[in-house]
Amino acid sequence: MWLIGETVDSIRSIQVRQLINQAVSLGMIVTSALIIWKALMCITGSESPVVVVLSESMEPGFKRGDILFLHMSKDPIRAGEIVVFNIDGRDIPIVHRVIKVHERQDTGEVDVLTKGDNNDGDDRVLYAEGQLWLQRQHIMGRAIGFLPNVGWVTIIMTEKPIVKYILVGLLGLLVITSKD
Amino acid sequence: MHSWGYRLNAVATFSLTVLGVMCGMVSFSDNFNHPTPSADVRVLNINWFQRHPDGNDEVSMTMNITANLQSLFTWNTKQVFVFLAAEYETPMNSLNQVSLWDGIIPTKEHARFWIHTANKYRFIDQGSNLRGKDFNLTLHWHVMPKTGKMFADKIVMPGYHLLEDYR
């Protein structure tokens, strides 16, 4: 009697330990996926040095899914620079090129007009009601470099959050079915 | 230590690092290129020169733009964005830059060009300061790479002059 009891006990303890082991591994996978996800959110957050190109208005130079490195310096804004700006009332920043600059003699303040390379008209249709020009405070940064296609991960995660869940689920499944 | 998860993680991290380093090196190779571009612009005709009811001057002109930007292209160049801006000073504004024309040069072959065009974008002043105004025509270009750092430069061509009176 006690032999059977002892055997059952030993089997159960091995299973329990294995289960705990697997649960912890799964937890690690889930948390690393979350860390990567949060880090990506940080990287593409609003006051950040990197943005993902979301529209086709700057093609063929910048395609959807490219990422742009931004830099903001005190240098004056000049025609031709690619700037990222926010319009009051819209939360998605826009990346377009400056085509007109009027800089005041006395204050150094500047009126700027932008246009997407691939658009036919300038951005006045995008500006706020009655706004004809952008000023320095609207501009978040200048694009100084870019990497092609790396931003697709973020676009997919944002537009189809189901992908995020599927990925995490798949990773979890991999852990459970592995032998250690 | 030998599960799929670990192996996949190691391969992914390594390949991403290698890709990142390669992109950096490719971008760095652009520094070895020393371009020698040239450009010339002729204003053929002032089509009209008016003052709007709100007080802003506007001028329309036809120009002949010749340029050779072939030396800007490297193996890492995706396209060159070129535009012509009129630059001038007024009592109110220390600098005015108005883009008159722009174009995209996709390949080295297209970088030597001659074009006859009216201004694509409206040359409108903030105010009515354009009569008899001296202005520069500056050809700017932005080199957009396949990956990495973007370069920009320009050629300033001074000596253009607007009519003394409206037409």
Side-chain angles (χ1 to χ4, degrees):
Chain A
M1 270 299 281
W2 59 268
L3 196 64
I4 298 171
E6 222 184 68
T7 327
V8 171
D9 271 329
S10 63
I11 292 173
R12 218 187 300 144
S13 71
I14 294 174
Q15 277 186 334
V16 165
R17 178 171 329 161
Q18 228 180 19
L19 262 165
I20 293 177
N21 223 323
Q22 287 193 328
V24 169
S25 305
L26 181 62
M28 294 276 281
I29 301 280
V30 170
T31 38
S32 3
L34 266 171
I35 289 173
I36 294 175
W37 172 235
K38 287 288 177 191
L40 273 175
M41 271 179 69
C42 274
I43 288 173
T44 61
S46 42
E47 305 299 302
S48 71
V50 181
V51 289
V52 179
V53 176
L54 293 172
S55 74
E56 298 123 12
S57 55
M58 287 292 282
E59 290 209 356
F62 299 143
K63 297 196 165 40
R64 214 167 114 82
D66 293 342
I67 60 173
L68 292 176
F69 298 105
L70 305 185
H71 181 63
M72 193 62 198
S73 69
K74 293 270 192 303
D75 291 342
I77 303 188
R78 292 285 172 255
E81 293 176 344
I82 298 173
V83 295
V84 178
F85 58 92
N86 267 318
I87 301 293
D88 306 320
R90 289 169 184 257
D91 43 29
I92 305 178
I94 305 177
V95 186
H96 282 171
R97 196 183 296 270
V98 172
I99 60 168
K100 290 195 185 169
V101 170
H102 294 281
E103 183 176 297
R104 296 276 175 278
Q105 293 266 17
D106 40 5
T107 59
E109 289 188 8
V110 71
D111 282 338
V112 158
L113 179 63
T114 58
K115 175 182 169 291
D117 289 347
N118 206 23
N119 291 346
D120 287 326
D122 58 40
D123 287 347
R124 288 211 167 111
V125 295
L126 296 174
Y127 296 167
E129 184 73 44
Q131 182 184 6
L132 290 175
W133 304 97
L134 289 178
Q135 278 80 40
R136 212 188 164 88
Q137 69 259 24
H138 296 110
I139 295 179
M140 281 162 51
R142 266 177 273 254
I144 55 165
F146 97 120
L147 273 179
N149 298 321
V150 182
W152 269 113
V153 184
T154 327
I155 293 185
I156 293 173
M157 296 280 214
T158 321
E159 296 189 355
K160 294 183 172 44
I162 189 94
V163 173
K164 179 180 33 148
Y165 299 128
I166 290 178
L167 267 174
V168 172
L170 270 174
L171 282 167
L173 213 60
L174 265 170
V175 167
I176 292 176
T177 55
S178 71
K179 286 301 176 209
D180 55 8
Chain B
M1 210 53 215
H2 301 291
S3 72
W4 274 106
Y6 280 115
R7 284 179 177 158
L8 208 60
N9 179 39
V11 170
T13 317
F14 185 63
S15 51
L16 277 176
T17 315
V18 166
L19 269 174
V21 168
M22 274 171 59
C23 283
M25 293 195 317
V26 166
S27 182
F28 183 71
S29 75
D30 272 343
N31 291 331
F32 295 117
N33 183 39
H34 301 287
T36 50
S38 64
D40 182 52
V41 178
R42 235 164 282 252
V43 176
L44 296 175
N45 186 35
I46 305 281
N47 305 329
W48 47 265
F49 185 5
Q50 291 291 323
R51 180 184 165 149
H52 291 196
D54 63 6
N56 294 333
D57 281 348
E58 180 174 349
V59 63
S60 161
M61 58 175 82
T62 306
M63 308 162 282
N64 213 338
I65 308 172
T66 323
N68 183 355
L69 302 175
Q70 289 187 320
S71 54
L72 291 172
F73 276 79
T74 70
W75 68 307
N76 185 30
T77 305
K78 180 155 71 170
Q79 68 178 37
V80 172
F81 182 87
V82 60
F83 69 100
L84 185 73
E87 297 177 1
Y88 58 97
E89 188 180 336
T90 61
M92 183 167 84
N93 293 332
S94 56
L95 174 68
N96 299 280
Q97 289 177 311
V98 179
S99 173
L100 300 178
W101 169 84
D102 58 25
I104 290 178
I105 305 176
T107 63
K108 195 164 173 165
E109 287 68 41
H110 291 92
R112 187 206 295 250
F113 62 92
W114 176 97
I115 151 169
H116 177 111
T117 175
N119 49 313
K120 197 170 167 186
Y121 304 117
R122 303 172 68 184
F123 187 167
I124 304 181
D125 186 28
Q126 279 190 337
S128 60
N129 307 297
L130 291 183
R131 275 165 295 173
K133 183 54 96 180
D134 290 314
F135 63 100
N136 294 343
L137 281 177
T138 310
L139 191 74
H140 297 250
W141 56 84
H142 269 63
V143 178
M144 287 158 90
K146 295 199 173 100
T147 172
K149 186 163 171 286
M150 300 193 285
F151 298 88
D153 208 347
K154 60 189 181 190
I155 293 181
V156 181
M157 292 165 280
Y160 297 90
H161 189 76
L162 277 174
L163 302 175
E164 305 298 333
D165 220 342
Y166 297 125
R167 186 199 299 177

